[in-house]
RNA sequence: GCCGCGUUCGUCUAGGGGUUAGGACGCCGCCCUUUCACGGCGGUAACACGGGUUCAAAUCCCGUACGCGGUACCA
């Protein structure tokens, strides 16, 4: 089995592209096949300089490694279509010679004019096809001498697929079953553009064949052009690979998940945006895997290894799926919690030191331990400033509501009593507070809030004893006094 | 318009002739915790519609509606 992911470097890797890559990768790994990365850079007008680098680094970040691709030749290279031009020309010529394709000289203005002329409310987008080609300038309507002369004169031309009406083009989609198109509804697709470069349709089938691809797994947007591809395979006498068209990922409201659309809804579309926003790679992969596929049982949390084990094309769904950021966030929290404290500390080390100087390693690891269950993203820890420095302010609403007249006295008294705690441990601290409330015959509720406020400035957070243990005796007592001073 | 693909809780989905239509996210409640979370338990909520086939249809067939995709010298 050989599969491929074939992105076009016209933009950064899209979330849908990552899922397509993932499914290809999973299938290859599951069956001991080969996963090829091919860069389809035939559109010079939309080429984006750093897109390929982004695609490569995004895949690496997600844990998807290719076996063959740019910089990793497996005997089928090169893996950039811009480096394979002669092969496409060869195939195009073969098609022309065998009357499966033809040369057309029509300028884009002439084609626009044709469409303008034929456009009606019932037919808003006329095609260049078996009917209209008869009235255009191409090697079917011109003498071969005229064609040869124009070509020799260096006139621009394109190569078009010659589609003959009257047949049914059938193929089996692994996900959708039998799919059938009437050849009369297929247009004469341009195969070679006037700049001499192939279109996707030509380059794609040539490469899939030459690279011995056995399974073409791609987005559903390609389903309508598949009959053209089938025709090309047949014209060349090549076997058609197994086809699998994945359901599209839709926006949360059901429309297309375009950049524009998604931005409006606050949904990142490129993988690098997720990476920058601090999403766990595992979470994104896990979420994407479940978007259109399921294992057939109730499991939802999967590591990459488990996905490889469980994945199959047969369990991929057929209908479009809406993107749900909340579910992604749930996966993110889950995977974040599965990481070790020290691993998360490693990730945050630099930004923590930049924001709060002189945070010891032990302190950071302990802070992570205290907060891990309360974070959505690892970087959210930076927002819990009180874990790393004394509060500079106290949450106003909470103060207004729960800071009572006797709070300063209670807090000061407790601070005094803490002076005599010799062993600064969770147990001793709990004991100290218990004893304190008993001696003063007060309810625990009376003192817990002032302590929390003094320690963190916030109405919620980690346990009191945990925080006191983390801050140490001197700092804890200092925070009590500072709070009293500030709220006096 | 035409061509194609779809349609089970708000969302992701299981189920493919006989099910109290199951799970997850979200939301709500309870428990745990004198905080907030995590966790546990429970609740809310769905077979697009109309015809057929059948003893029996969410499940098979047809139609309609709706959604999505395509209709480029973009991929």
């Amino acid at each position: 089995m050989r599969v491929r992911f074939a992105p076009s470097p016209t933009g950064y890797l899209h979330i849908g592209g990552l899922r397509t890559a993932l499914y290809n990768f999973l299938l290859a790994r599951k069956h001991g096949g080969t996963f090829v990365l091919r860069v389809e850079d035939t559109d010079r007008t939309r080429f984006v300089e750093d897109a390929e680098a982004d695609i490569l680094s995004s895949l690496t970040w997600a844990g998807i490694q290719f076996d063959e691709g740019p910089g990793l030749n497996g005997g089928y290279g090169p893996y950039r279509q811009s480096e394979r031009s002669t092969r496409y020309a060869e195939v195009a010529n073969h098609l022309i010679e065998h009357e499966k394709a033809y040369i057309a000289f029509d300028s884009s203005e002439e084609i626009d004019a044709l469409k303008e002329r034929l456009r009606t409310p019932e037919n808003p987008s006329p095609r260049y096809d078996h009917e209209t080609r008869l009235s255009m300038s191409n090697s079917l309507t011109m003498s071969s001498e005229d064609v040869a002369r124009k070509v020799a004169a260096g006139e621009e031309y394109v190569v078009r697929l010659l589609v003959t009406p009257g047949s049914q083009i059938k193929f089996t989609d692994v996900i959708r079953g039998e799919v059938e198109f009437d050849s009369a509804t297929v247009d004469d697709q341009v195969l070679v553009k006037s700049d001499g470069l192939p279109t996707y349709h030509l380059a794609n089938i040539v490469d899939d064949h030459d690279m011995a691809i056995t399974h073409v797994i791609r987005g559903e947007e390609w389903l309508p052009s598949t009959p053209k591809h089938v025709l090309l395979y047949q014209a060349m006498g090549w076997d058609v690979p197994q086809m699998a068209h994945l359901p599209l990922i839709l926006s949360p409201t059901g429309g297309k998940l375009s950049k524009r659309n998604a931005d409006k809804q606050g949904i990142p579309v490129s993988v690098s945006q997720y990476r920058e926003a601090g999403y766990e790679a595992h979470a994104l992969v896990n979420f994407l895997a479940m978007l259109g596929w399921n294992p057939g049982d109730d499991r939802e949390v999967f590591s990459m290894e488990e996905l490889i084990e469980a994945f199959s094309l047969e369990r991929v769904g057929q209908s479009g799926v809406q993107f749900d950021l909340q579910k992604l966030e749930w996966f993110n929290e889950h995977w974040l919690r599965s990481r070790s404290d020290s691993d998360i500390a490693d990730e945050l080390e630099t930004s923590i030191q930049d924001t709060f100087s002189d945070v010891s390693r032990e302190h950071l690891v302990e802070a992570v331990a205290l907060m891990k269950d309360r974070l959505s993203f690892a970087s959210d820890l930076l927002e819990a400033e009180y874990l790393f420095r004394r509060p500079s302010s106290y949450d106003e609403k909470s103060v207004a509501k729960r800071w009572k007249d006797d709070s300063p006295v209670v807090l000061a008294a407790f601070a005094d009593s803490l002076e005599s705690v010799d062993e600064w441990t969770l147990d001793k601290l709990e004991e100290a507070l218990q004893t304190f409330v008993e001696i003063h015959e007060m309810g625990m509720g009376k003192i817990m809030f002032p302590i929390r406020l003094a320690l963190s400035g916030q109405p919620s957070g980690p346990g009191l004893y945990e925080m006191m243990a983390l801050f140490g005796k001197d700092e804890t007592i200092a925070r009590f006094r500072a709070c009293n001073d500030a709220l006096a």
Side-chain angles (χ1 to χ4, degrees), chain A residues 14 249 251 255-264 267 269:
Chain A
H14 188 276
I249 297 179
S251 89
K256 190 176 181 176
L257 190 63
S258 62
K259 281 184 243 333
R260 194 205 211 118
N261 205 341
D263 279 350
K264 215 158 56 187
I267 310 291
V269 285

Side-chain angles (χ1 to χ4, degrees), chain A residues 348-392:
Chain A
L348 297 173
E349 185 83 56
T350 309
S351 51
I352 287 281
Q353 296 300 354
D354 288 350
T355 314
F356 318 98
S357 43
D358 293 330
V359 176
S360 75
R361 173 72 189 180
E362 303 94 283
H363 188 98
L364 175 55
V365 173
E366 191 51 34
V368 170
L370 259 43
M371 288 298 287
K372 199 162 66 174
D373 284 348
R374 285 162 244 264
L375 305 174
S376 287
F377 299 92
S379 58
D380 288 348
L381 186 69
L382 278 296
E383 282 159 35
E385 295 183 18
Y386 60 87
L387 292 173
F388 308 103
R389 68 158 76 110
R390 201 169 297 170
S392 53

Side-chain angles (χ1 to χ4, degrees), chain A residues 205-417:
Chain A
I205 67 112
V206 171
D207 288 346
D208 281 346
H209 175 263
D210 287 0
M211 295 182 180
I213 299 302
T214 58
H215 300 252
V216 171
I217 303 161
R218 63 201 341 180
E220 194 187 351
E221 72 270 24
W222 292 110
L223 195 56
S225 42
T226 304
K228 296 169 186 174
H229 305 161
V230 170
L231 252 21
L232 282 168
Y233 283 114
Q234 289 172 347
M236 293 304 295
W238 296 339
D239 289 337
V240 181
Q242 294 277 299
M243 293 289 181
H245 289 93
L246 269 22
L248 257 22
I249 297 179
L250 310 172
S251 89
T253 49
K256 190 176 181 176
L257 190 63
S258 62
K259 281 184 243 333
R260 194 205 211 118
N261 205 341
D263 279 350
K264 215 158 56 187
Q265 299 183 54
I267 310 291
V269 285
S270 61
V271 176
S272 41
Q273 282 176 286
Y274 285 90
R275 184 181 182 176
E276 283 156 21
Y279 281 90
E280 302 285 319
H282 269 115
L284 224 212
V285 165
N286 196 161
F287 170 69
L288 252 20
M290 306 310 290
L291 217 50
W293 171 84
N294 74 82
D297 54 42
D298 285 345
R299 290 176 299 160
E300 287 203 274
V301 174
F302 285 83
S303 65
M304 190 66 96
E305 290 66 34
E306 290 166 334
L307 283 173
I308 290 167
E309 171 66 30
F311 189 78
S312 77
L313 244 26
E314 284 65 40
R315 296 211 64 91
V316 173
Q318 315 183 297
S319 44
V321 290
Q322 293 184 205
F323 189 92
D324 181 4
L325 206 58
Q326 280 188 313
K327 184 104 184 203
L328 204 210
E329 209 161 299
W330 177 76
F331 275 114
N332 204 70
E333 288 162 357
H334 176 87
W335 281 104
L336 176 62
R337 273 159 212 143
S338 76
R339 292 172 63 186
S340 73
D341 299 339
S342 67
D343 185 37
I344 296 172
D346 287 343
E347 180 190 328
L348 297 173
E349 185 83 56
T350 309
S351 51
I352 287 281
Q353 296 300 354
D354 288 350
T355 314
F356 318 98
S357 43
D358 293 330
V359 176
S360 75
R361 173 72 189 180
E362 303 94 283
H363 188 98
L364 175 55
V365 173
E366 191 51 34
V368 170
L370 259 43
M371 288 298 287
K372 199 162 66 174
D373 284 348
R374 285 162 244 264
L375 305 174
S376 287
F377 299 92
S379 58
D380 288 348
L381 186 69
L382 278 296
E383 282 159 35
E385 295 183 18
Y386 60 87
L387 292 173
F388 308 103
R389 68 158 76 110
R390 201 169 297 170
S392 53
S393 66
Y394 300 87
D395 184 68
E396 281 182 36
K397 272 172 76 176
S398 308
V399 172
K401 196 171 158 198
R402 303 180 63 182
W403 180 261
K404 307 294 186 197
D405 291 344
D406 59 353
S407 294
V409 185
V410 173
L411 204 51
F414 183 54
D416 289 342
S417 77

Side-chain angles (χ1 to χ4, degrees), chain A residues 129-131 133 162-168 182-186 188:
Chain A
D129 63 10
H130 63 99
E131 284 180 349
R133 69 188 174 216
L162 179 59
V163 182
T164 35
S167 70
Q168 292 301 114
D182 185 337
S183 66
T185 68
V186 178
D188 289 358

